[in-house]
Amino acid sequence: MRVNRILLSVPLIVVALVIQVSVLARLHLPGAVPDLLLLTVLGLALIYGHVGGALIGFGAGLLADLAPPADHAAGRYALVLCVIGYLAGLVKPETGRIKSATGPMVVVVAAAIGSTLLYAGVGALVGDTAARHVGLTGLLFSAALYDLLLAPFVVPGVMFLARRADNDPLADTNSGGKASDISSGWLSSGTGLRIGGQRSGLKMKAARSRMARAGRIKGVKRL
């Protein structure tokens, strides 16, 4: 991953985890807990793509597994968010800009339901049957509802910050296509090299026209 992506993702993930553990988890809402960490991963994955989404999801999930008061096996939520981040990154548009809010909202609902099912499934494999006692149907409904209500306040802001950081021309120039776009933008706006080239081209055209005009005048005089 690029350095600017890491520098943005780490503080966002840490802040989201702190708010989720210290505030949202203590609201004691019926059913699931609003998953601010999941929404942050989704916002970053929709900009960074499936590879970045998987890496960010794994790191965020592992941090949540180790942060108190975690009561499950380490790596369980890391696997869940890694898969969710990868799948959400596949929905990233080619232009990097989403014109409608319908797509992200559908992604949020699908991610809330998918993460709950995957978390319960992994728990069943390791012998954790807490989801059965709480009620899986209630967890799915409450998770989708809470995340959908919280998403408009989180996902657009995370996507905006990620897009701004990803468009930094000083961040990374390893990609050929990205480098060409950045260099052309700098040439047209900052250095004035393209403007100078256009001026020299205009001067050459003007010189050619004067030479052609002088040739026509000489031809008329000879007649």
Side-chain angles (χ1 to χ4, degrees), residues 5 15 191 195 220:
R5 293 184 175 183
V15 171
T191 61
I195 297 176
V220 171

Side-chain angles (χ1 to χ4, degrees), residues 137-155:
T137 303
L139 284 176
L140 293 176
F141 177 77
S142 58
L145 178 61
Y146 296 153
D147 291 348
L148 188 60
L149 293 176
L150 191 61
F153 304 98
V154 179
V155 177

Side-chain angles (χ1 to χ4, degrees), residues 42-69:
L42 291 179
L44 295 172
L46 289 174
I47 300 298
Y48 295 157
H50 59 282
V51 176
L55 293 175
I56 293 172
F58 179 81
L62 186 60
L63 188 63
D65 288 332
L66 300 177

Side-chain angles (χ1 to χ4, degrees), residues 99-146:
K99 298 181 180 180
S100 175
T102 304
M105 293 299 102
V106 173
V107 172
V108 168
V109 174
I113 296 175
S115 62
T116 304
L117 289 175
L118 186 58
Y119 185 83
V122 175
L125 293 177
V126 296
D128 185 0
T129 59
R132 297 179 181 178
H133 301 290
V134 175
L136 186 58
T137 303
L139 284 176
L140 293 176
F141 177 77
S142 58
L145 178 61
Y146 296 153

Side-chain angles (χ1 to χ4, degrees), residues 82-106:
C82 180
V83 174
I84 296 299
Y86 179 85
L87 294 178
L90 296 176
V91 189
K92 172 190 174 184
E94 296 181 358
T95 59
R97 296 184 178 275
I98 299 176
K99 298 181 180 180
S100 175
T102 304
M105 293 299 102
V106 173

